[in-house]
């Protein structure tokens, strides 16, 4: 059965955060539902739909940014009380808009995540989880990494409180009181949690999660250990998950999974006969989907998916058909209704245009007066800078509440800009002088009209670190620009992991000195991505990392006055040694550095590079043959005379050229890594082999794995 949904826009509020829109339960059996939404102007808006028009129920005064909105009520009753988190305060409203709660928490940071269950309130700031019962502090937990979301398994089914935290270090933490029961590793940094079927399934222990790299999974949170049920991998390379809901939009009696992503994709997953999730429907919007819910809002009898977007639009994907079959009398009535709507919209548009002209004249007049004060327009930017494991590149996503005019990208370290299919902006590069100004990249993206979201892909080089800056200029008057800065770290292509293969040949770097635990932790934050800014609780810590480009690994274990770093890649150890020495010298700390280099690790790293290098060399060779083969094809009139291998190259020519174009300098990168490995191997022996690099590059141009291995061993 194919799902047919039609989009309808209901209302626009201010910029919205993740999980700030909910549908109130219907008051009658066939009644439509009201929508309640909180925005970053601090306004809570509740409205219903009558004759295709939004009718307000209540609207609060502006205040602090609203970070979460949840529904609650006594356990076993209708959940229709509205709870709003803004700053460190939680407010409660009835469905009519009367405020019944104002609870100022003892949190020193703003609330990032909230869950309500009966008289229990679960709140999270960046690293701190607090549980309150009847506004009295009950339990507290300090997480090892930033908390993205919080949820509690249904108390009415389990008869106990089981809070679950989604944390940035790719872990779900299951708590009991103030204690950690166990944690569950998931395939990406979890960004959102939801109860399966809305109530945890038949057992009450089934949990859905979405990750910031676009994966979805279901886990059974059993008492002693988790049982993973299924995972949906992000094969289409879509955006990260921001919201999840369960609702039977297919009408087959089984609740479907509704998903909203940060690239504007809305997905509906049904289930096959084996109980595995299957994609039934998808729809793409131009901006990120911050909240999603299934229900009935526009017209009774027609279910729909209601969603809110970053810029504040509340829209529906409804099962109500836009064009209906009707008799002549009915058709006249419909056209009359449509005509009235068009007339009212035209009148509203004229009114708005007149208001804009008035305000523009007023601004021009005030700006020319002697006491003029320049007013800089304020606008919000939603940005995300994340490392993709699949292609070892960084995604920079910039989303603005109004249309983007242009984005200037500047970097003081060498980086490559990669092609993005979804990107319609025109890019132009400016020549830059790296020596006096430290500019390695100046690129301008000129956006097409109505572009509010821009996605860029960047690949960095490990060992070269600095700052990437994005200057964002929207289409508003007077012209104004905001700058966003992103750190390119020394080991920028490393990603946090929870596994470490001890059987690989390891190089070890050991440090001792008069440094504190906080100081060595700050060096780790400077060197590596995905390290929590706050030092972890305890006297020592162990972190594992994986290089997303080469799949080599790194173990960092450190405490006050001591640090030990193990890696199967000499270049990783070399970069760490150089950067840590530099950072310690800046702080006038004397470091005692020792290292134990394993010769076998060089051959091991070259073996890991081999398949990637072989593939890229073959790809380059095929791409260089395409023009000659096409010329032969035109000359001969067909390709029958060619060997199967060449015929295959011609058939896949477009695909091969696309792949080659998307990976500029990929081969040069691999050459650079092998060269660094060669230099670093001998650097630890106290030998300078830079003069032999041209000979190494010659061997790479006529690549043979055994010749390369011999060259490394015989120098």
């Amino acid at each position: 059965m194919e799902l047919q949904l039609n989009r309808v826009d209901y209302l626009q509020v201010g910029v919205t955060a993740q999980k700030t829109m909910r549908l109130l339960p219907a008051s009658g059996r066939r009644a439509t539902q009201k929508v309640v939404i909180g925005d970053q102007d601090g306004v809570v808006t509740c409205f219903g739909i009558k004759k295709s028009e939004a009718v307000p129920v209540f609207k609060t005064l502006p205040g602090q940014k609203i970070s979460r909105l949840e529904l609650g009520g006594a356990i076993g009753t209708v959940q229709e009380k509205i709870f709003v988190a803004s700053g460190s305060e939680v407010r409660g409203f009835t469905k009519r808009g009367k405020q019944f709660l104002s609870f100022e928490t003892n949190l020193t940071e703003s609330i990032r995540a909230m869950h309500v269950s009966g008289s229990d309130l679960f709140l999270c700031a960046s690293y701190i989880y607090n549980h309150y019962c009847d506004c009295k502090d009950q339990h507290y937990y300090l997480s090892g990494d930033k908390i993205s979301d919080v949820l509690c398994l249904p108390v009415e089914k389990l008869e106990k409180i089981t809070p679950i935290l989604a944390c940035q270090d790719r872990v779900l933490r299951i708590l009991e009181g103030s204690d950690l029961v166990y944690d569950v590793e998931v395939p990406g940094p979890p960004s959102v949690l939801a109860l399966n079927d809305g109530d945890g399934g038949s057992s009450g222990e089934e949990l859905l999660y979405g990750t910031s790299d676009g994966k979805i999974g279901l886990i059974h949170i059993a008492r002693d250990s988790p049982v993973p049920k299924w995972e949906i991998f992000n094969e289409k390379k879509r955006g990260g998950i921001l919201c999840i809901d369960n609702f039977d939009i297919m009408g087959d009696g089984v609740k479907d999974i509704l998903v909203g992503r940060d690239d504007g994709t809305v997905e509906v997953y049904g289930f096959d006969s084996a109980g595995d999730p299957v994609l039934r429907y998808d729809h793409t919007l131009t901006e990120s989907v911050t909240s999603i819910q299934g229900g009935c809002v526009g017209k009774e009898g027609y279910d729909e998916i209601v969603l809110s977007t970053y810029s504040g639009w509340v829209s529906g994907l409804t099962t109500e058909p836009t064009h209906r079959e009707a008799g002549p009398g009915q058709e006249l009535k419909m056209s009359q209704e449509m005509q009235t709507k068009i007339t009212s919209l035209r009148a509203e548009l004229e009114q708005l245009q007149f208001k804009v002209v008035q305000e523009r004249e007023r601004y021009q007049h005030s700006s020319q007066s002697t006491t003029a004060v320049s007013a800089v327009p304020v606008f919000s930017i939603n940005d995300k800078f994340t490392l993709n494991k699949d292609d070892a590149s960084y995604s920079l996503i910039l989303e603005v509440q109004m249309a983007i005019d242009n984005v200037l990208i500047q970097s003081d370290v060498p980086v490559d800009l990669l092609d993005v299919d979804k990107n319609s902006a025109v890019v132009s590069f400016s020549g830059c002088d790296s020596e006096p100004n430290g500019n390695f990249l100046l690129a301008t993206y000129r956006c097409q009209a109505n572009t509010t979201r821009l996605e860029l892909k960047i690949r960095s080089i490990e060992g070269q670190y600095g700052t990437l800056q994005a200057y964002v200029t929207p289409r508003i008057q007077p012209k104004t620009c905001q700058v966003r800065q992103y750190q390119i770290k020394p080991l920028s292509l490393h990603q946090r992991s929870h596994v470490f293969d001890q059987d690989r040949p390891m190089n070890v770097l050991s440090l001792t000195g008069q440094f504190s635990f906080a100081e060595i932790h700050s060096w780790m934050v400077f060197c590596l991505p995905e390290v929590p800014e706050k030092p972890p609780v305890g006297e020592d810590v162990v972190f594992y990392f994986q290089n997303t480009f080469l799949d080599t690994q790194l173990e960092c274990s450190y405490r006050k006055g001591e640090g030990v770093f193990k890696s199967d890649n000499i270049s990783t150890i070399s970069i760490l040694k150089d950067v840590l020495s530099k950072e310690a010298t800046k702080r006038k700390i004397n470091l005692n550095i020792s290292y134990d280099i394993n010769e076998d690790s060089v051959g091991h790293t070259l073996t890991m590079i081999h398949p990637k290098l072989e593939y890229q060399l073959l790809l380059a060779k095929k791409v260089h043959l395409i023009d000659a083969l096409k010329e032969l094809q035109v000359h001969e009139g067909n390709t029958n005379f060619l060997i199967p291998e060449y015929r295959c190259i011609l058939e896949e020519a477009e695909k091969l050229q696309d792949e080659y174009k998307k990976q500029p300098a990929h081969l040069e990168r691999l050459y650079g890594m092998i060269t660094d490995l060669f230099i670093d191997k001998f650097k630890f022996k106290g030998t300078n082999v830079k003069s032999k690099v041209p000979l190494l590059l010659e061997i790479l141009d006529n690549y043979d794995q055994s010749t390369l291995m011999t060259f490394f061993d015989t120098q």
Side-chain angles (χ1 to χ4, degrees):
M1 176 188 156
E2 197 178 328
L3 189 60
Q4 289 284 336
L5 299 176
N6 300 302
R7 180 178 167 180
V8 54
D9 294 331
Y10 292 127
L11 186 77
Q12 189 176 22
V13 295
V15 171
T16 63
Q18 184 186 7
K19 290 175 83 172
T20 49
M21 187 272 301
R22 296 299 296 263
L23 301 187
L24 293 170
S27 49
R29 215 175 107 243
R30 288 184 59 77
T32 56
Q33 292 172 264
K34 304 284 189 290
V35 181
V36 60
I37 184 167
D39 62 31
Q40 294 200 7
D41 297 329
V43 178
V44 180
T45 307
C46 181
F47 68 93
I49 301 296
K50 205 169 184 180
K51 291 183 180 175
S52 305
E53 292 289 326
V55 179
V57 176
F58 73 85
K59 191 174 182 179
T60 67
L61 292 169
Q64 278 187 289
K65 290 178 182 178
I66 292 170
S67 54
R68 280 288 198 271
L69 187 148
E70 292 289 337
L71 298 182
I75 288 170
T77 65
V78 178
Q79 306 289 291
E80 57 183 13
K81 288 190 166 69
I82 302 155
F83 292 89
V84 172
S86 51
S88 59
E89 184 189 21
V90 176
R91 289 174 292 155
F93 298 90
T94 65
K95 63 178 181 178
R96 300 277 173 221
K98 185 182 176 187
Q99 187 169 333
F100 65 86
L101 174 71
S102 177
F103 172 45
E104 184 61 53
T105 66
N106 54 359
L107 294 169
T108 52
E109 296 177 51
S110 294
I111 296 163
R112 283 167 58 101
M114 174 173 75
H115 181 74
V116 180
S117 172
S119 55
D120 293 294
L121 180 64
F122 306 90
L123 299 176
C124 294
S126 293
Y127 295 88
I128 298 162
Y129 152 83
N130 272 76
H131 170 206
Y132 302 91
C133 184
D134 291 322
C135 296
K136 290 186 177 67
D137 209 339
Q138 297 292 309
H139 299 290
Y140 163 94
Y141 179 76
L142 181 63
S143 169
D145 210 328
K146 280 189 177 173
I147 302 166
S148 307
D149 204 3
V150 62
L151 202 66
C152 180
L153 295 180
V155 177
E156 57 270 34
K157 285 190 176 183
L158 304 180
E159 296 182 350
K160 65 170 186 156
I161 291 171
T162 310
I164 299 161
L165 309 180
C167 302
Q168 282 293 299
D169 54 355
R170 293 175 170 73
V171 159
L172 304 180
R173 290 181 165 85
I174 289 78
L175 308 179
E176 193 172 307
S178 297
D179 301 318
L180 177 70
V181 180
Y182 61 83
D183 51 31
V184 189
E185 191 188 341
V186 289
S191 51
V192 62
L193 301 175
L195 293 171
N196 190 31
D197 284 346
D199 59 359
S202 54
S203 64
E205 295 175 325
E206 290 183 354
L207 180 80
L208 286 164
Y209 65 83
T211 69
S212 60
D213 55 1
K215 302 180 185 87
I216 307 161
L218 176 69
I219 293 183
H220 182 190
I221 305 292
R223 176 176 281 276
D224 302 315
S225 62
V227 182
K229 293 289 187 94
W230 49 255
E231 281 174 13
I232 303 169
F233 291 100
N234 189 12
E235 285 165 9
K236 292 185 179 175
K237 306 285 183 289
R238 288 176 168 169
I241 313 292
L242 286 181
C243 44
I244 297 176
D245 189 35
N246 289 92
F247 184 75
D248 181 17
I249 192 74
M250 301 291 291
D252 56 3
V254 178
K255 281 191 178 180
D256 306 298
I257 298 169
L258 315 180
V259 175
R261 295 179 182 266
D262 66 14
D263 64 348
T265 307
V266 178
E267 295 173 328
V268 177
Y269 288 91
F271 293 91
D272 60 17
S273 53
D276 292 321
V278 180
L279 183 65
R280 301 281 191 211
Y281 174 85
D282 59 1
H283 179 86
T284 306
L285 304 170
T286 55
E287 53 183 322
S288 57
V289 179
T290 51
S291 307
I292 193 164
Q293 277 232 270
C296 177
V297 171
K299 192 158 191 179
E300 62 181 59
Y302 292 102
D303 288 337
E304 63 187 282
I305 300 167
V306 183
L307 42 97
S308 66
T309 66
Y310 170 69
S311 69
W313 274 108
V314 180
S315 305
L317 295 171
T318 176
T319 52
E320 183 186 1
T322 47
H323 303 290
R324 280 174 286 179
E325 298 295 324
Q330 213 175 345
E331 197 179 310
L332 184 69
K333 187 183 167 197
M334 271 189 70
S335 65
Q336 189 65 44
E337 192 181 304
M338 192 58 77
Q339 195 63 45
T340 311
K341 193 173 179 184
I342 289 166
T343 309
S344 90
L345 282 170
R346 277 192 179 139
E348 194 181 337
L349 191 63
E350 280 173 19
Q351 206 176 347
L352 283 168
Q353 283 172 334
F354 179 68
K355 203 172 175 184
V356 166
V357 170
Q358 268 189 325
E359 289 298 319
R360 194 168 276 162
E361 282 174 1
R362 214 178 90 190
Y363 177 78
Q364 290 293 340
H365 180 72
S366 67
S367 64
Q368 285 162 15
S369 72
T370 51
T371 56
V373 177
S374 179
V376 177
V378 177
F379 61 94
S380 297
I381 297 179
N382 181 24
D383 58 340
K384 193 170 119 177
F385 188 61
T386 49
L387 177 61
N388 302 314
K389 189 179 179 181
D390 301 324
D391 58 0
S393 69
Y394 275 89
S395 270
L396 173 58
I397 297 166
L398 298 163
E399 191 169 15
V400 185
Q401 63 192 98
M402 66 271 292
I404 302 170
D405 184 27
N406 65 75
V407 175
L408 171 70
I409 301 292
Q410 182 267 336
S411 173
D412 59 7
V413 284
V415 290
D416 292 335
L417 288 177
L418 309 181
D419 270 1
V420 179
D421 292 336
K422 292 178 274 189
N423 192 344
S424 59
V426 179
V427 62
S428 56
F429 294 91
S430 304
C432 46
D433 210 342
S434 59
E435 282 307 311
N437 307 318
N439 272 341
F440 281 92
L441 173 73
L442 278 174
T444 308
Y445 285 84
R446 289 193 304 281
C447 299
Q448 295 183 4
N450 302 323
T451 300
T452 58
R453 187 178 185 279
L454 184 67
E455 186 174 340
L456 317 174
K457 267 186 182 278
I458 292 146
R459 183 169 288 141
S460 56
I461 301 168
E462 288 212 321
Q464 309 219 29
Y465 53 97
T467 308
L468 179 84
Q469 297 191 109
Y471 296 78
V472 183
T473 309
R475 291 179 190 272
I476 51 173
Q477 292 296 335
K479 274 277 183 267
T480 186
C481 170
Q482 275 191 37
V483 186
R484 287 283 193 272
Q485 290 191 334
Y486 310 95
Q487 295 307 313
I488 307 286
K489 304 200 174 188
L491 294 172
S492 55
L493 300 182
H494 278 69
Q495 195 173 61
R496 276 282 289 280
S497 170
H498 294 275
V499 289
F500 192 78
D501 182 1
Q502 298 286 359
D503 296 332
R504 294 186 185 185
M506 288 296 162
N507 305 289
V508 182
L509 173 70
S510 303
L511 306 177
T512 54
Q514 296 296 312
F515 50 80
S516 66
F517 180 52
E519 278 174 324
I520 190 168
H521 181 74
S522 72
W523 299 341
M524 288 299 100
V525 172
F526 180 78
C527 284
L528 287 147
E530 300 187 10
V531 178
E533 288 165 19
K534 286 190 177 180
V537 179
E539 290 183 5
D540 53 11
V541 69
V542 179
F543 288 129
Y544 300 130
F545 295 89
Q546 185 180 22
N547 185 314
T548 52
F549 197 81
L550 294 180
D551 292 329
T552 56
Q553 55 186 21
L554 169 67
E555 178 190 270
C556 304
S557 57
Y558 54 91
R559 57 171 67 202
K560 181 186 174 182
E562 186 188 348
V564 179
F565 307 93
K566 297 178 185 175
S567 176
D568 51 343
N569 186 348
I570 284 185
S571 294
T572 303
I573 293 294
S574 175
I575 292 166
L576 267 175
K577 175 182 167 286
D578 293 346
V579 175
L580 293 174
S581 303
K582 204 172 178 181
E583 287 303 299
T585 307
K586 271 187 204 170
R587 301 191 190 194
K588 296 179 180 171
I589 294 170
N590 189 23
L591 282 187
N592 299 314
I593 301 176
S594 62
Y595 40 84
D596 178 14
I597 301 303
N598 188 330
E599 291 283 335
D600 295 341
S601 70
V602 178
H604 160 80
T605 307
L606 287 172
T607 306
M608 294 191 84
I609 292 173
H610 170 69
K612 292 178 173 65
L613 182 59
E614 199 171 43
Y615 178 80
Q616 286 299 324
L617 285 165
L618 190 61
L619 177 67
K621 187 181 169 186
K622 284 178 179 177
V623 169
H624 290 143
L625 281 171
I626 288 170
D627 286 344
L629 289 172
K630 279 185 176 175
E631 208 172 300
L632 277 172
Q633 185 184 9
V634 170
H635 193 262
E636 295 294 328
N638 61 45
T639 58
N640 298 340
F641 66 96
L642 291 173
I643 58 169
E645 185 193 337
Y646 287 171
R647 280 208 298 271
C648 186
I649 290 171
L650 273 176
E651 283 163 19
E652 295 179 350
E654 200 175 320
K655 186 184 161 190
L656 291 167
Q657 282 171 326
D658 276 354
E659 190 179 346
Y660 191 69
K661 188 184 166 192
K662 277 183 191 174
Q663 301 285 0
H666 202 122
L667 202 55
E668 286 86 341
R669 279 293 157 87
L670 289 165
Y671 277 23
M673 284 173 180
I674 293 167
T675 306
D676 288 346
L677 193 69
F678 179 65
I679 292 167
D680 291 334
K681 176 187 173 178
F682 291 97
K683 187 171 86 174
F684 281 107
K685 291 180 177 179
T687 312
N688 188 338
V689 288
K690 285 186 180 176
S691 60
K692 293 179 181 174
V693 168
L695 190 58
L696 171 63
L697 293 173
E698 205 176 301
I699 289 167
L700 288 173
D701 285 336
N702 306 290
Y703 178 67
D704 174 71
Q705 190 181 8
S706 56
T707 311
L708 182 65
M709 292 279 200
T710 309
F711 179 78
F712 265 76
D713 292 338
T714 55
Q715 293 307 310

